[in-house]
Each structure stands twice: as structure tokens, then as C-alpha cells.
Amino acid sequence: MSRRSLIHLFWAGLCASFVWLNFLPDAIALGGKQPDLNYPAPEFTLPTNTGDGEISLSDYLGQWVVLYFYPQDFTSGCTLEAQRFQKDLPKYIARNTQIIGVSVDDVDSHAEFCDAEGLKFPLLADTDGSVSKLYGSWLGIMSLRHTYLIDPEGILREIYLGVQPVIHSTKVLARLDQLQS
């Protein structure tokens, strides 16, 4: 097991322990205030491992966006969630939808994660948690597993909290079909 994997495992275990033992205040444990549905999604610009090295939400006006926050590269749940989005990527493309992942990992970690898992969608480095906080998806030291579905005009149409990585992509696709019909 690599040093990076041990560090990720340690931090994930520590965070789970804090939540389980209820040491965190409710506002932090819940991630903070969620943005309002049917209003413009909070704008952001973050560094990425793809393209020009930086992505803004406004870059995707005219497309649907699945903006998903996740705790950490190379952890089991995050890997499974990313794999499911990648498997369904052709279905999202057919629906004029861009998938964007966000975590506190840096650009180099994202590049390694994309290479290891064959991911063909951008991952953004929210290393200070500012965008995670803006979206109410912050747990003190990492992003929570939340997803936001944003329409082509930049309006927030759906919020997913308490995501189950195994079935999440399927649920997002079904909701996307409802919203697009």
C-alpha cells in the first residue's frame, strides 16, 4: 500500500470518526446552507488537470452540468462514483450534459486519478474549500458527497445530498430526462 493511500485512508477514517462521534457542530456536519433551487447556481473558477488549466461554471452555458463534489481521489466510494459517471458519459454527452467533479485534492492528484481510472471529464481542485463552502458541501477539511444539476442557462435545478455512489449516476440521468422532457 502506497504512502498516499495510507494518508487518504487515515484522513477518511478520522473524518468518519468525528462525524460518527458527533464532534462536529450540526452546521458543519450538514455542509452548510445549500444554494437555492431555481436560481442561478453560484459562479466559480477553479484549476483543473484538463484543457487550459482552469474551468469556470460559465464556460458551460448552453449545456446542462452535473457538478459533483466528493471527499478525495483514490478512496473507494469516490472511485466508484467517478467510474459510474465515466461509464455513463456517452449518455450524458447525448443529453448535452457536462460532468464536473470537485474535491480538495490538487491538480496533480486529479491527473493521477483520471489516468488511473480512465476519466474523460474534468476534475477541479478546490484546495481551500471555497467553492465547496459556496455550495454548502464542506465538512471542515474536505468536500461532502453532494451533486448539483444545473441547466443550460446556469439555473440550479436539482440538489442531491446523501449520495449513494453505486446508483447515483443512474438517478441523475433519470432526473435529467425528466427535466429535459
Side-chain angles (χ1 to χ4, degrees):
M1 184 175 259
S2 72
R3 184 172 184 215
R4 169 176 259 159
S5 296
L6 286 173
I7 291 170
H8 287 183
L9 187 61
F10 169 76
W11 281 112
L14 184 63
C15 290
S17 297
F18 274 113
V19 171
W20 182 70
L21 295 173
N22 205 18
F23 283 130
L24 296 174
D26 288 343
I28 294 173
L30 297 174
K33 183 181 180 324
Q34 293 296 305
D36 294 324
L37 279 177
N38 302 316
Y39 284 91
E43 178 58 41
F44 62 82
T45 300
L46 285 173
T48 183
N49 60 308
T50 60
D52 297 334
E54 212 173 63
I55 286 180
S56 298
L57 181 58
S58 60
D59 295 341
Y60 296 101
L61 287 175
Q63 286 184 280
W64 286 84
V65 173
V66 174
L67 179 66
Y68 83 97
F69 292 83
Y70 65 99
Q72 200 166 34
D73 293 341
F74 297 103
T75 56
S76 59
C78 300
T79 299
L80 184 59
E81 185 176 22
Q83 289 171 340
R84 296 293 200 246
F85 278 128
Q86 180 58 45
K87 179 179 128 303
D88 291 336
L89 187 59
K91 296 174 185 176
Y92 286 101
I93 291 170
R95 290 164 174 83
N96 190 33
T97 304
Q98 175 65 52
I99 299 170
I100 301 172
V102 179
S103 80
V104 298
D105 295 300
D106 63 25
V107 171
D108 292 336
S109 177
H110 287 332
E112 290 175 29
F113 189 47
C114 285
D115 287 346
E117 298 304 325
L119 305 180
K120 304 297 183 204
F121 53 84
L123 299 179
L124 309 185
D126 187 19
T127 56
D128 65 359
S130 60
V131 175
S132 297
K133 291 173 190 170
L134 191 63
Y135 276 82
S137 297
W138 185 244
L139 183 66
I141 59 170
M142 66 178 55
S143 303
L144 291 167
R145 195 178 311 282
H146 292 167
T147 299
Y148 303 86
L149 189 53
I150 302 164
D151 76 11
E153 288 77 44
I155 305 299
L156 181 60
R157 295 299 179 190
E158 192 70 43
I159 298 174
Y160 297 88
L161 309 175
V163 169
Q164 297 174 321
V166 174
I167 59 172
H168 184 53
S169 181
T170 304
K171 285 185 170 186
V172 173
L173 280 166
R175 182 65 178 138
L176 190 58
D177 285 342
Q178 289 174 345
L179 290 168
Q180 289 182 343
S181 63

